[in-house]
């Protein structure tokens, strides 16, 4: 599945994440398409934040590295929760993390503009 920008799902995504965590029963309202887009975004944000964590560590900025580590963990948790809402098994979620890393990490590492754009999107989604 090709990455689609989650910007058009920003409001439903933020609402869904807030509602799902505060009122699990209301998560039924969110469409499967919005869930899938949110899931894909959380997977990508995990990779983007993880890469930024490594960059901050290499630069010797412990505070920034810790911040990106926390964001990567939040993205991971969001992806796992959204995977559960989609009915994915733990094995499927694990495979999706690996596939997303294989697809996204080379682009993030080799293209600074892509990395910045990814982090900006994650920030807009509350995941960076």
């Amino acid at each position: 599945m090709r990455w689609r920008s989650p910007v058009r799902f920003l409001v439903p995504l933020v609402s869904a994440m807030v509602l799902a965590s505060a009122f699990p029963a209301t998560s039924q309202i969110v469409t499967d398409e919005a869930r899938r887009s949110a899931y894909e975004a959380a997977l990508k944000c995990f990779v983007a934040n993880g890469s930024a964590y490594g960059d901050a560590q290499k630069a010797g900025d412990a505070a920034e590295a810790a911040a990106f580590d926390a964001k990567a963990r939040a993205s991971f948790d969001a992806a796992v929760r959204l995977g559960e809402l989609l009915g994915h098994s733990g094995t499927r979620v694990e495979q999706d993390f690996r596939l997303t890393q294989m697809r996204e990490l080379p682009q993030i590492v080799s293209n600074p503009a892509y990395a910045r754009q990814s982090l900006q999107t994650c920030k807009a989604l509350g995941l960076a």
Side-chain angles (χ1 to χ4, degrees), residues 72-94:
R73 290 173 191 265
S75 299
F76 178 88
D77 292 343
V80 169
R81 177 68 179 129
L82 288 161
E84 290 171 356
L85 289 173
L86 288 167
H88 296 336
S89 68
T91 302
R92 164 73 189 272
V93 172
E94 191 175 311

